[in-house]
Amino acid sequence: MNPTKGGWLILLTLLIGMLLMVVHFPETWPNWLGWLRPNWLLLILFFWVIELPHRIGLIAIWLLGFLVDGLLAAPLGTNGIILAGVTYVAWRFFERLRMYSVLQQCGVIFLLVAAAEAIRVFVIGISSARQWGITLFTVPLMSMLMWPFVYLILIRLRTGMRVE
Amino acid sequence: MIKALFVRETGAGYLLVGLGVISCLLIAIESSTRVLEPVRGVLATLISPIYLIAESPYLLSSTVSDVASSRSQLQEENQQLQRKILELSQISQQYVALKAENDRLRALLGSQGRLPYEVLIAELVGVVPDPNTFQIIIDKGADAGVQVGQAVLDAQGLFGQIVEVGQYTSRVLLVTDADHAVPVQVNRNGVRSIAGGNGSLDVLELENIPVSADIVEGDLVETSGLGGRFPSGYPVGVVHSVVVEPTSTYAEVLVRPSALLDRSRHVLVIFKPQAQVAEQNGDLN
């Protein structure tokens, strides 16, 4: 068995996740729709870590965080530590997380995304007067609701493409 | 097996802490200095394709509508544009005369004449997704000579300023962002103030206006040029409401920005005249 099989699929899905983080509705639509954007990248990363923990490197994910910082105009290092932290937690408990029911996984997702959002808001708050508030609740909620769909799509891709 | 696993895991824990410390250092450095600006520029270049792909539906739709529109529609649009050009050229004729007169008067007063600004037309290619900040990505970057700090206008007024420059794209902070402020004056009487964003897309706040200041609803607010970052005389907005609380020292003056911050897809990047740039650099040195 080729141990590095299907790495391109992991990369591709992570890239799609980054794309989904910046795709937006037409400008004429109300601004508050932006609050409802799930943290797609975190969902996709979480999936790959609990499915294939040996394929995801902590440093690689931390470096990917810099690209996300550029994308979301966050201070450098913010998303690095968020993504690496989520990777670590998922990786530490991947056996247990895999056995969880979808509902339990949704709960874990809610907590992880809420923590990620809290870190992001805190770090941005250091050097910026941007408002914050409702996203601390809406982003985790939407991520949680989207998790079953992300999981179903990715598990199909993973088995279909035989990513090991 | 169990031992090996254990060792690996503690290793990862240390690694995570290490990465966390580096991240914190970077955040601290970036919040207090500008040394990481080149790094951000490189990152902006790397991620610009992602923004382009995300924006492609909108970029394509304008192209498609051009191709798909009928002959009569195009003719009508053409006529409208012709009329518009006629109107504008009439105004610009007046402008030339006024400018000449203004230069003469300035010469009489012994003050320096104003130099014309050059502009670069740029198109919007992305929007920063955080709903609490107003920033856009435009399709001109370092290779077009764009630099951090340049003012950006749209057809109606001041739009924002460049805050990050990649090779082919740059990021613009809009005037209404909570982190943005611009020195302004009232067009009617020259009362000076600072217009800061407060986090909603269509409101600017004039800061520290004394209750006795002569500002009324409908006044045009324009850039004052103080601070040297924004060229003077461009419209920023129109005073929308003036609230004077009997108990407070300052009046609450809200301004509606002139620029179509959520509509404009084409903006102008303002280049300062070379002489002025050299002068400013001389000042800095």
Side-chain angles (χ1 to χ4, degrees), chain A:
Chain A
M1 187 168 61
N2 183 356
T4 59
K5 211 175 153 200
W8 61 271
L9 187 74
I10 300 178
L11 269 179
L12 183 72
T13 50
L14 287 176
L15 266 179
I16 291 175
M18 287 167 75
L19 194 63
L20 287 172
M21 297 293 279
V22 293
V23 170
H24 64 94
F25 294 117
E27 281 95 341
T28 44
W29 291 27
N31 194 37
W32 54 261
L33 283 172
W35 298 337
L36 304 180
R37 183 196 301 274
N39 197 331
W40 297 106
L41 187 63
L42 223 60
L43 293 180
I44 293 169
L45 181 69
F46 184 78
F47 172 85
W48 288 119
V49 181
I50 62 169
E51 282 296 315
L52 303 167
H54 56 285
R55 295 298 302 274
I56 309 289
L58 211 53
I59 295 182
I61 289 302
W62 184 70
L63 290 175
L64 180 79
F66 283 104
L67 289 183
V68 183
D69 288 335
L71 213 55
L72 306 186
L76 289 182
T78 315
N79 284 287
I81 197 57
I82 289 172
L83 294 179
V86 168
T87 307
Y88 180 76
V89 172
W91 186 68
R92 186 82 176 67
F93 304 107
F94 73 91
E95 288 132 325
R96 208 177 303 175
L97 291 171
R98 252 193 236 166
M99 292 302 133
Y100 276 177
S101 70
V102 175
L103 270 181
Q104 282 171 309
Q105 284 178 345
C106 282
V108 174
I109 290 280
F110 185 90
L111 292 178
L112 282 177
V113 178
E117 190 65 17
I119 293 176
R120 191 183 74 87
V121 164
F122 173 74
V123 171
I124 287 178
I126 292 174
S127 58
S128 160
R130 269 184 227 178
Q131 293 172 335
W132 57 276
I134 191 127
T135 54
L136 273 177
F137 179 71
T138 52
V139 175
L141 189 71
M142 288 303 289
S143 305
M144 185 179 96
L145 294 178
M146 285 298 133
W147 167 249
F149 304 101
V150 172
Y151 183 81
L152 281 178
I153 293 170
L154 287 179
I155 197 83
R156 285 211 140 185
L157 276 177
R158 170 169 132 58
T159 45
M161 303 280 178
R162 296 203 185 78
V163 185
E164 303 293 342

Side-chain angles (χ1 to χ4, degrees), chain B residues 111-133:
Chain B
S111 60
Q112 218 178 2
R114 283 184 185 158
L115 294 162
Y117 291 99
E118 289 191 15
V119 295
L120 178 73
I121 298 178
E123 193 179 356
L124 180 148
V125 291
V127 179
V128 172
D130 185 346
N132 293 323
T133 182

Side-chain angles (χ1 to χ4, degrees), chain B residues 135-150:
Chain B
Q135 300 182 43
I136 61 163
I137 316 289
I138 56 172
D139 68 343
K140 294 289 187 297
D143 65 339
V146 176
Q147 288 172 346
V148 171
Q150 280 181 311

